[in-house]
Amino acid sequence: MSSTLAKIGEREAEMARTQKNKATAHHLGLLKAHLAKLRRELITPKGGGGGGPGEDGGTQTGTSFVLPWCHCVC
């Protein structure tokens, strides 16, 4: 947990020292996304274990399964 807090501090410091203009907008966006991911990990830490009906995490219905990320029946 402390390493996550350290990473958050590093990202915030890098954002503070990065000049804000069109050339750095993409880099700042990536930093914001990574910062959001780290903050999300603090709120809901990664759980171990798991393993559902299939290796890809789909919900099994009969002989087909629904993939939750593409909303299609395969």
Side-chain angles (χ1 to χ4, degrees), residues 9-43:
E10 291 172 8
R11 297 302 181 275
E12 288 176 341
E14 186 172 353
M15 285 179 65
R17 71 174 176 259
T18 301
Q19 185 180 8
K20 293 159 184 68
N21 58 41
K22 288 182 183 178
T24 60
H26 180 72
H27 178 66
L28 287 170
L30 292 176
L31 287 174
K32 283 183 181 180
H34 195 252
L35 193 59
K37 179 182 175 187
L38 290 171
R39 287 180 177 158
R40 193 176 331 119
E41 283 183 14
L42 277 180
I43 295 170

